[in-house]
């Protein structure tokens, strides 16, 4: 069983302050939209054009893809891509620093266990609110044909849900923040709706013995609240679907 004491820290929220231009850029940058959405859809191009970040959006996406090609620090030569104040954050792990991040990923050896693993990166775009940040998505697939966490290969072919990733850069093009594994639709795939490393654990039938490494299950408190809501609506004469 892998030790999780070094990587499982309180889940993060937004760990970096919004850039100072955020409010100023948002107010005037609104494009023409259909009735009912006036003032609610921002003009992304106009906002990005006002950015004073050193690396322009098109170039930043290129830098992002190059960093991904070097494994975001885990492939030979890739560690130099990470800033000294680098942070990693996933839904239930982090934020953790550079040293912890590099040590944790070396433990899992996912490429050895899933040699055909493919993240299927797509939909790269620069965040108009945070022009130093590139968002992108994955549709990971992989077959467990190698030993994984000291367990023999299962031969299981995994299909992950769509996941949101992001990389935040500093002015020198170094990675300040890497966020991974945020499922966008937990109904998709066969990893229990889990992304990141936890999806691999659950997908091969060897989840870590913690709630975070299991599919979402409604709490009894939430189930009770739903029952009360349905019962109240019935008493009010409202037809409630089961």
């Amino acid at each position: 069983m892998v030790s999780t004491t070094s990587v499982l820290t309180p889940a993060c929220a937004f760990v970096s302050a919004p850039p100072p231009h955020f409010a100023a850029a948002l107010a005037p940058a609104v494009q023409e939209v259909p009735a009912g959405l006036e003032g609610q859809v921002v003009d992304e191009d106009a906002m990005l054009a006002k950015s004073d970040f050193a690396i322009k959006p098109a170039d930043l996406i290129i830098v992002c893809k190059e960093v991904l090609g070097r494994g975001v620090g885990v492939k030979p030569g890739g560690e130099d891509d990470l800033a000294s104040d680098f942070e990693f954050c996933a839904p239930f792990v982090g934020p953790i620093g550079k040293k912890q991040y590099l040590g944790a990923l070396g433990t899992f050896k996912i490429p050895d266990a899933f040699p055909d693993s493919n993240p299927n990166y797509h939909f790269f775009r620069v965040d108009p609110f945070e022009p130093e940040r590139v968002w992108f998505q994955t549709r990971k697939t992989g077959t467990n044909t190698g030993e994984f966490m000291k367990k023999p290969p299962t031969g299981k072919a995994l299909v992950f849900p769509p996941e949101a990733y992001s990389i935040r850069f500093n002015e020198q093009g170094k990675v300040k923040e890497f966020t991974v594994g945020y499922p966008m639709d937990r109904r998709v795939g066969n990893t229990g709706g889990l992304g990141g490393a936890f999806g691999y654990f659950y997908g091969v039938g060897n989840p870590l013995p913690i709630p975070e490494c299991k599919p979402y299950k409604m709490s009894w408190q939430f189930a009770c609240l739903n029952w009360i809501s349905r019962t109240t609506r019935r008493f009010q004469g409202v037809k409630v679907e089961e």
Side-chain angles (χ1 to χ4, degrees), residues 57-144:
D59 294 329
L60 194 63
I61 289 175
I62 293 173
V63 172
C64 178
K65 291 179 179 179
E66 290 174 345
V67 167
L68 288 172
R70 292 188 288 270
V72 196
V74 301
K75 292 182 180 180
E79 187 173 342
D80 290 340
D81 289 325
L82 308 184
S84 58
D85 57 348
F86 168 86
E87 284 191 338
F88 169 88
C89 192
F92 305 113
V93 177
I96 59 176
K98 183 176 180 178
K99 185 176 180 179
Q100 275 187 293
Y101 164 75
L102 294 173
L105 290 188
T107 301
F108 302 144
K109 300 186 184 302
I110 289 174
D112 295 336
F114 301 84
D116 68 343
S117 181
N118 188 342
N120 292 303
Y121 295 123
H122 60 283
F123 201 19
F124 288 81
R125 67 272 189 199
V126 174
D127 190 328
F129 295 94
E130 302 170 82
E132 75 281 9
R133 189 176 196 174
V134 178
W135 288 94
F136 51 100
Q137 295 172 204
T138 66
R139 285 271 191 159
K140 295 200 298 280
T141 59
T143 308
N144 181 209

Side-chain angles (χ1 to χ4, degrees), residues 144-165:
N144 181 209
T145 56
E147 183 182 89
F148 186 43
M149 304 309 295
K150 299 183 179 180
K151 298 287 185 179
T154 63
K156 291 184 177 180
L158 305 187
V159 177
F160 284 69
E163 300 171 57
Y165 280 52

